[in-house]
Amino acid sequence: MPVTHMHRWKAPALAASALLVGLTLPAAVATPASATTTSYDTTYYKNAVGKTGASLKSSLHTIISSQSKISYSAVWDALKVTDQDPNNSNNVILLYSGVSRAKSLNGGSTGDWNREHTWAKSHGDFGEVTGPGTDLHHLRPADVQVNSIRGNKDFDNGGSAVSGGGGSLTDSDSLEPRDADKGDVARMILYMAVRYDGGDGFADLEPNEKVSNGSNPYMGKLSVLKQWSDEDPPSAFEEKRNQVIYDTYQHNRNPFIDHPEWVDAIW
């Protein structure tokens, strides 16, 4: 059953209008997501709707922890379905760069795409183990070289252009994805923080305000991730991906795609 939304829209580009009339506006501030209504609110999310803070986070953890798990090798074929290019069924859309690349070019060589752990697998040292290491809600196809440049860096604003990165930026300790992927990254990171809370024998993953978190089970920067989620609402591609994972593979959902306002309700 596809999810239906009452969408919110991004604020108009006031800065551009200001230039026309010679005005100077303060720096833009992301507006928190407005409430949404989905077809899952009376079923899947019924025990979470209406809650906030720790209570909401706990309820969502219980809900999304009921999932089927796949092997790391099975992720290859799953990503060919979840991230299929809507305009070319032979290709997948790559995270960070936005490039459409042949599904057959999965591997580890230059020009290939591989499996990017958006929550870097070293942050909590879960590697490629079935569970957090194979959770499709944070695994995306990415260009091999772009993925290597990201490495296990945290997420933050700033840096220099990533070669072949579609506008993504990086410095010594962080990556700033291209604008079209910023909200996706934020919602994937925050999903992981709710899903993996120290149970199941895995680390308690949490967002924080740091970069260079290394092997600690943290990912930053939370304030930037919240801003990205507000500035880049869920796209049709992201929503379809969530549905395919729910229907076909893991049978759980990323609640921040269905209800982006829950980001601010928890953090």
Side-chain angles (χ1 to χ4, degrees), residues 39 86 90 101 111-112 122 136 147 186:
S39 55
N90 294 315
R101 186 164 296 170
D112 287 345
S122 63
L136 291 170
N147 194 359

Side-chain angles (χ1 to χ4, degrees), residues 90-106:
N90 294 315
N91 288 12
V92 290
I93 300 293
L94 305 186
L95 187 67
Y96 306 136
S97 65
V99 168
S100 178
R101 186 164 296 170
K103 292 177 178 179
S104 59
L105 291 175
N106 62 294

Side-chain angles (χ1 to χ4, degrees), residues 174-219:
S174 69
L175 181 86
E176 177 184 341
R178 68 188 185 113
D179 288 348
D181 285 335
K182 285 178 176 175
D184 303 53
V185 165
R187 287 180 284 274
M188 287 188 281
I189 293 300
L190 298 176
Y191 161 88
M192 292 292 283
V194 172
R195 170 61 186 88
Y196 300 99
D197 70 347
D200 298 346
F202 303 120
D204 182 2
L205 307 183
E206 289 294 339
N208 67 3
E209 279 300 308
K210 294 177 60 180
V211 291
S212 296
N213 276 300
S215 62
N216 294 313
Y218 308 122
M219 188 72 70

